[in-house]
Amino acid sequence: MLDYTAMIVAIGPELWLAAAGLLGVLLGAILKDRFNALSFKYGALALFGAAALSLMFYQGGEAFGGLVKTNTFVNFAKFVSFAVGGFALIMSEGFLKRHDTIRYEYVLLTLFASLGMGMILSAADLMTLYMGIETLSLSSYVLAAFHRDSARSSEAGLKYFVLGALASGMLLYGASLVYGFSGTTNFAGISSSAPSIGLMFGMVLMIVGLAFKISAAPMHAWTPDVYEGAPTPVGAFFASAPKMASMVVFANVMFTAFGDVMDQWQLIVAIIAGLSMIIGSFGALTQTNVKRLLGYSSIANVGYALVAVAAGQASGAGALLIFMTLYVVSALGLFAGVLAMRRRGGMVESIDELGGLMSSRPWLAIALTILIFSIAGLPPFGGFFGKWEVFNAGIEAGLLPLAIILVISSVVSLGYYLRIVKIMWFDEPKERFESIDGSVTLTVLASAFVAGILFLVFINQLSQWAYDAARGLAS
């Protein structure tokens, strides 16, 4: 018989999101278009409720015969992912309303994508992992192409789907090899099985498939195109909630299923990290579209996070949680800033069109400057402490070349980050921006406050929480 108490403790947030999603389908069928505007509040409350449940069942548990297992490490990631996902959903309503695409299906797709995030974070078995990845991926493909009248959005969805299907196939083939040579799909069983050539081949294919999901180089090609072509609120969601969840899942799989053969995968992850940092930083230098620039910035930041994974569980797990939390908050705020910049001709996406923002909207320019300085890793803003933790983890693990690449790519990134600041503060003013939705304003200011002030004051508390959460991996 099922132990319902253990099941609720282990996957309470996912059960909540599944129920909210199915209820939303029913409400949409009954209320039809009357549910469109209400659905965004409904979805945000569902995601914030899931975040609260992640804290309520923070110590985690195990259910379904070991198919799912949660601990403080994954519940930390769940809380952050669901919370930023709720904010991403709140700030989407105004954009979709202006483009006549405000439909409750958008909210339901976001909820089911978030359900997929929770499933992969809870996974302790290859079957559960793959089901969660496909739940997240299928919803994401549709979200990327949600603006049906936009050729760019349709192209983004098609590219994401084709490349995502290829990556899913590689992940599934790798998982089948791992099962074939270990005799089990359970992470704990895989970890205790004898190493073999076939098992290592399967592990490498799984790394390739998971690297696509986190947009790490050289499996990064889809990222700038999808970020540019997808509706801006969708880009904000992709850059925040699924990024946090996927990155922590990558680490969880490597630490839990393949932790005993770290010497076999550390160099592979280190190479991927180095390539991501270099390609992301140098690729962004030539970009003129702010969304494409943020796409390349995402690739570089995934590289920084992978330094913590390559450092291993003992040194890198806590550093990864700190870095990703600080990154996704800043990334969400920057995409909200892009949403805030709108003129009569439509959305402003060219970097050069930000000229004179300081004179026309000083509060927005200051908030975006704080977020840019944070994501660039400049002290004393929050992002600096995230990079510092990752850098220290790399040094402690003896990954000096990777730490040097981290520093060099961070310096290179200042070239495109400071260019945006210079244009906002010192270039001639452009045409006046239109009014901003209140939810977007709130998200920009809240993200800037958190990244620039709150984390600066409470960085020690965040570090303690993250490192305490990382110890849950040992349980």
Side-chain angles (χ1 to χ4, degrees):
M1 293 181 62
L2 285 175
D3 186 342
Y4 292 103
T5 302
M7 183 174 64
I8 292 173
V9 170
I11 56 167
E14 290 75 51
L15 294 173
W16 168 268
L17 287 173
L22 293 175
L23 179 60
V25 172
L26 179 62
L27 290 173
I30 296 172
L31 300 178
K32 295 184 170 55
D33 288 345
R34 289 174 294 169
F35 186 51
N36 288 341
L38 177 64
S39 64
F40 286 83
K41 285 80 173 177
Y42 172 84
L45 286 174
L47 284 169
F48 291 142
L53 287 172
S54 300
L55 292 182
M56 187 180 301
F57 306 125
Y58 189 62
Q59 297 302 318
E62 186 175 338
F64 300 111
L67 289 175
V68 295
K69 182 180 180 181
T70 55
N71 50 47
T72 53
F73 182 69
V74 298
N75 278 327
F76 182 107
K78 281 187 187 183
F79 170 75
V80 176
S81 298
F82 294 147
V84 297
F87 281 105
L89 193 55
I90 286 174
M91 71 184 196
S92 304
E93 183 177 358
F95 176 92
L96 297 174
K97 187 180 297 183
R98 287 192 302 273
H99 289 80
D100 296 324
T101 53
I102 180 169
R103 298 183 61 84
Y104 66 83
E105 288 91 340
Y106 180 92
V107 175
L108 298 181
L109 287 166
T110 303
L111 288 179
F112 287 123
S114 300
L115 171 62
M117 293 185 326
M119 289 172 65
I120 59 176
L121 284 166
S122 300
D125 190 280
L126 295 178
M127 293 187 293
T128 315
L129 175 68
Y130 190 75
M131 287 179 59
I133 285 176
E134 289 307 293
T135 302
L136 170 59
S137 297
L138 292 173
S139 301
S140 299
Y141 301 151
V142 183
L143 283 171
F146 196 79
H147 193 182
R148 292 176 295 178
D149 296 331
S150 169
R152 288 198 313 170
S153 181
S154 300
E155 181 184 356
L158 181 61
K159 286 181 178 178
Y160 197 9
F161 170 72
V162 172
L163 295 175
L166 175 63
S168 293
M170 297 184 73
L171 176 65
L172 187 59
Y173 184 48
S176 67
L177 284 176
V178 170
Y179 168 67
F181 284 92
S182 66
T184 179
T185 56
N186 188 269
F187 289 175
I190 294 168
S191 178
S192 60
S193 62
S196 64
I197 295 296
L199 184 65
M200 293 305 104
F201 268 107
M203 179 190 69
V204 170
L205 286 172
M206 286 190 63
I207 290 175
V208 171
L210 291 171
F212 174 89
K213 302 303 179 183
I214 59 175
S215 66
M219 287 67 70
H220 68 284
W222 63 274
T223 311
D225 292 338
V226 171
Y227 276 38
E228 179 185 12
T232 304
V234 176
F237 178 70
F238 286 170
S240 53
K243 188 72 69 177
M244 176 78 183
S246 300
M247 195 66 243
V248 171
V249 167
F250 186 101
N252 190 35
V253 171
M254 303 315 298
F255 295 157
T256 306
F258 303 108
D260 291 340
V261 289
M262 180 178 169
D263 58 316
Q264 302 291 321
W265 57 258
Q266 185 180 44
L267 180 60
I268 299 172
V269 174
I271 291 172
I272 294 174
L275 284 174
S276 299
M277 291 186 283
I278 293 169
I279 291 174
S281 297
F282 283 94
L285 286 174
T286 59
Q287 301 305 313
T288 57
N289 182 288
V290 67
K291 289 167 68 177
R292 285 188 69 85
L293 186 148
L294 290 174
Y296 277 103
S297 171
S298 172
I299 296 166
N301 279 278
V302 163
Y304 304 143
L306 284 173
V307 175
V309 179
Q313 177 179 327
S315 302
L320 175 68
L321 293 178
I322 296 170
F323 176 82
M324 289 304 301
T325 301
L326 294 163
Y327 167 70
V328 297
V329 169
S330 299
L332 181 67
L334 285 174
F335 268 96
V338 175
L339 275 174
M341 294 176 287
R342 186 181 70 253
R343 295 196 173 105
R344 286 175 295 178
M347 298 298 299
V348 172
E349 294 184 6
S350 173
I351 296 171
D352 292 334
E353 292 187 76
L354 304 181
L357 187 64
M358 183 60 190
S359 59
S360 59
R361 285 190 179 163
W363 63 268
L364 180 58
I366 292 171
L368 288 177
T369 300
I370 291 172
L371 291 168
I372 289 171
F373 284 168
S374 177
I375 210 168
L378 291 177
F381 302 100
F384 167 77
F385 298 101
K387 282 190 179 179
W388 179 256
E389 292 289 342
V390 169
F391 178 82
N392 278 339
I395 293 295
E396 287 179 15
L399 302 174
L400 182 60
L402 211 53
I404 293 172
I405 295 174
L406 187 154
V407 173
I408 293 173
S409 61
S410 295
V411 173
V412 171
S413 71
L414 293 177
Y416 52 86
Y417 288 133
L418 295 181
R419 175 160 58 103
I420 299 175
V421 175
K422 175 259 180 186
I423 290 172
M424 290 192 303
W425 284 67
F426 302 112
D427 280 17
E428 290 297 319
K430 303 291 183 180
E431 181 185 350
R432 187 172 182 83
F433 293 105
E434 292 184 0
S435 59
I436 308 173
D437 302 323
S439 59
V440 174
T441 304
L442 174 65
T443 304
V444 175
L445 294 178
S447 298
F449 173 76
V450 170
I453 298 174
L454 193 64
F455 281 147
L456 178 62
V457 176
F458 295 105
I459 189 65
N460 289 332
Q461 285 80 355
L462 174 64
S463 298
Q464 182 178 354
W465 188 22
Y467 281 105
D468 286 345
R471 294 189 189 101
L473 276 172
S475 60

